[in-house]
DNA sequence: TTTCCATATTGTCTTGGACAGAAGTGGCTT
DNA sequence: AAGCCACTTCTGTCCAAGACAATATGGAAA
């Protein structure tokens, strides 16, 4: 599954592009440069920053390590190779299980039809719930690893996302009936663009017999608030990938909590919240799909008692 | 179909929350305050900005009008009522045909299941090709109109997008076989986030028996270039909604043309190019789905002769 | 061990100046 | 009229350097 990623080595990126590609704010990029001396981009004729491909690469590695609990000041002056080493040492198991490796091979050999068929076959064999919680979750993880290792091309990742969306949405629409309570309104806040996570949640909800109103990504809080009565939702569930910072995710959950009546539950999950210690008052953190299934069950028991 | 936005009057928002909720950057919020005197937020004990509910509301109205083509300096000092008036005056008096109106009614009455079923029914009745080129195209148009008139809620638009994606992807995956040449690589450039247009194109391509490699939205040009040999594409097709400016779309087509070998065709379509007079040398503008079907046919005839 | 507090680290906010690129305007030619 | 070019205005984004809130760390006390 070796894929040379063909990045032009001489490409230069302005600060907005780097913010978009790394998730680090412009303010953060400037203050790192001031404090730590990295990144030290060259300047154009108007003194505006231009970041190199190597700097962008290192910033991605730093972002990943920081998400895993390292602190910027401790690691920012290490070389790309040392950082990659640090990442590698974090995961002792180096190779994915055979079934996942087979799927990755199809993807990185650009066999779109083969990849699609293999995914469909896995879905048939496992059923929706296991397909999502095992195969898709593992694929997400290992594609992330391959991405860090530079072993997967950007366009293969795009193709992966498209095919998984096709299959999940196909499964979602194929599900008969309307589902029973609770009715969960599912979306993400502005800035959170990852759709796969949302679709996985939707699929699990439906497989558990729940009713789901999916609004896609990036719904402003106010609009979520207005959607709740319109769709008579019982629960609002938000997904935060690790593209979000933990603080931003917690702040979003809190804001939504203050806007909604107490009778509506607020759930949050995803990579950005995986390390969060405690949930904002009146909200629920879901750290796994099992957590979500328990939350669903708990809701049903509690409401049945009333 | 009237949407009242209902906010707590006494809430205060910091600048990051306003950025998230309005999509206006912090820099923009500060420079508007400096230049136009609006918004003029109160300050907390540390001189940090706190925006009121009314300011947030007005910012959202401004954002809507600016997206529609108004200029900030001209409208920023009008009252909320005047801005709402301006939005209302945009509403054309035309009405959609009955079948589209029925679908819109289901959507704006928040009947998600009814809307889904009506879409499915239309698909069954019309077949994929007519469903896409007639029903979905008309729905897009009339939802755009309703949005400008402020007659449709943000969350209803989100729900619409999700359901149409579900149905189109379902139809795409249900299509048997691999399709015949040409193999079309389909995506959009960074900045272009509209997915429905891409899915419509993919559905039409598949309905015409073509082979399609869909990379989703926002693929950087360099990655498109790398994807072409990897997937052995014959044609690259790009979609530009009217969120793109015409010049930016034409520049993107030109850049891609120079990067790819002459044997690969470059096609462009979508709202941003609807008014373009002539295509960049060596590229093809598709102004309708029929144009695309002709282009497909022409490619097949030309290649058959060789 | 757990809890608590002082200290260090880190991200976000502040101001006011600058300027590139988009949008609008006017005059000229076809 | 309609296209096209040059000129002006408008508008979003970038800059620097300082400040401080929020979080994490590390050691002392319970």
């Amino acid at each position: 599954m070796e894929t040379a990623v063909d990045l032009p080595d001489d490409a230069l990126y302005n600060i907005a592009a780097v913010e978009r590609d790394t998730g680090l704010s412009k303010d953060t990029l400037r203050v790192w440069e001031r404090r730590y001396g990295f990144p030290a981009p060259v300047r154009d004729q108007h003194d505006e920053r231009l970041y190199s491909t190597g700097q962008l690469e290192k910033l991605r590695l730093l972002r990943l390590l920081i998400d895993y609990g390292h602190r910027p000041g401790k690691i920012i002056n290490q070389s790309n190779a040392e950082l990659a080493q640090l990442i590698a040492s974090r995961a002792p198991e180096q190779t994915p299980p055979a079934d996942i490796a087979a799927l990755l091979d199809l993807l990185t050999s650009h066999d779109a039809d083969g990849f699609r068929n293999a995914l469909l076959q896995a879905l048939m064999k496992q059923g929706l719930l296991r397909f999502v919680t095992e195969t898709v979750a593992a694929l997400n993880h290992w594609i992330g690893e391959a991405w860090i290792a530079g072993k997967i091309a950007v366009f293969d990742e795009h193709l992966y996302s498209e095919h998984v969306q096709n299959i999940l949405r196909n499964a979602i629409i194929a599900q008969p009936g309307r589902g029973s309570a609770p009715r969960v309104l599912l979306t993400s806040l502005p800035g959170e663009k990852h759709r796969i996570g949302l679709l996985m949640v939707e699929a699990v909800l439906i497989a558990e017999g729940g009713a789901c109103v999916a609004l896609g990504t990036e719904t402003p809080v106010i609009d979520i608030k207005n959607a709740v009565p319109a769709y008579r939702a019982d629960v609002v569930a938000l997904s935060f990938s690790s593209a979000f910072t933990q603080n931003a995710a917690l702040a979003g959950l809190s804001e939504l909590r203050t806007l909604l009546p107490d009778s509506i539950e607020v759930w949050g999950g995803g990579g950005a919240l995986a390390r969060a210690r405690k949930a904002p008052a009146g909200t629920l953190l879901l750290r796994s799909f099992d957590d979500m299934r328990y939350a669903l069950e708990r809701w049903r028991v509690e409401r049945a008692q009333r």
Side-chain angles (χ1 to χ4, degrees), chain A:
Chain A
M1 89 180 208
E2 199 62 31
T3 308
V5 172
D6 186 9
L7 277 182
D9 288 341
D10 53 347
L12 291 171
Y13 306 85
N14 66 22
I15 197 169
V18 175
E19 175 180 49
R20 190 189 57 221
D21 292 352
T22 65
L24 299 165
S25 78
K26 292 166 190 158
D27 274 326
T28 299
L29 290 167
R30 293 196 195 102
V31 88
W32 280 8
E33 182 179 347
R34 201 196 315 167
R35 287 195 187 133
Y36 311 121
F38 180 87
V42 298
R43 304 298 184 111
D44 68 8
Q45 73 271 25
H46 300 291
D47 240 30
E48 306 200 343
R49 292 170 173 81
L50 292 175
Y51 296 84
S52 70
T53 306
Q55 289 168 337
L56 189 61
E57 175 68 12
K58 180 164 169 183
L59 288 168
R60 282 212 195 89
L61 297 174
L62 288 170
R63 174 67 205 269
L64 188 81
L65 285 164
I66 290 165
D67 285 345
Y68 269 100
H70 287 80
R71 309 207 68 187
K74 306 273 186 188
I75 55 175
I76 201 165
N77 284 316
Q78 303 190 33
S79 70
N80 285 24
E82 288 169 320
L83 294 175
Q85 174 70 30
L86 213 50
I87 288 167
S89 70
R90 176 186 54 79
E93 30 149 8
Q94 292 283 1
T95 54
D99 54 335
I100 302 299
L103 282 165
L104 286 175
D105 274 345
L106 287 171
L107 186 64
T108 54
S109 59
H110 318 307
D111 180 358
D113 290 312
F115 183 65
R116 187 195 85 146
N117 291 335
L119 280 181
L120 276 172
Q121 224 171 334
L123 172 60
M124 298 298 174
K125 191 175 143 197
Q126 302 181 310
L128 183 54
L129 193 59
R130 279 188 55 219
F131 177 70
V132 168
T133 57
E134 297 177 16
T135 303
V136 178
L139 266 178
N140 281 344
H141 170 78
W142 287 104
I143 283 179
E145 294 285 323
W147 163 252
I148 295 305
K151 286 184 177 172
I152 195 169
V154 171
F155 54 80
D156 280 328
E157 214 189 348
H158 278 237
L159 194 87
Y160 164 72
S161 171
E162 285 298 299
H163 279 273
V164 171
Q165 277 191 63
N166 282 347
I167 284 174
L168 289 181
R169 287 182 190 270
N170 182 54
I172 285 164
I173 215 167
Q175 205 73 12
R178 331 180 98 210
S180 63
R183 183 186 283 260
V184 179
L185 193 145
L186 178 66
T187 187
S188 73
L189 296 187
E192 173 57 67
K193 298 174 186 171
H194 286 72
R195 322 176 81 79
I196 303 279
L198 281 171
L199 285 172
M200 289 167 74
V201 172
E202 186 176 356
V204 169
L205 275 169
I206 284 180
E208 293 288 323
C212 190
V213 180
L215 298 185
T217 58
E218 306 199 76
T219 310
V221 244
I222 299 306
D223 298 300
I224 297 175
K225 188 218 166 202
N226 293 328
V228 165
Y231 288 103
R232 302 184 316 283
D234 304 303
V235 175
V236 173
L238 295 180
S239 166
F240 301 92
S241 78
S242 45
F244 244 70
T245 66
Q246 181 176 305
N247 283 349
L250 292 173
L253 281 178
S254 294
E255 185 178 346
L256 199 57
R257 176 68 285 173
T258 64
L259 284 175
L260 291 171
D262 288 343
S263 59
I264 309 295
E265 298 204 357
V266 176
W267 300 353
L273 293 172
R275 306 176 61 81
R277 295 253 181 74
K278 53 175 226 172
T283 71
L284 194 59
L285 295 190
L286 310 177
R287 293 187 177 76
S288 66
F289 284 110
D290 281 338
D291 273 8
M292 189 175 72
R293 294 161 69 191
Y294 297 145
L296 214 54
E297 191 52 40
R298 184 193 47 69
W299 190 94
R300 284 168 170 159
V301 170
E302 284 183 11
R303 296 295 159 130
Q305 288 172 347
R306 292 183 195 178

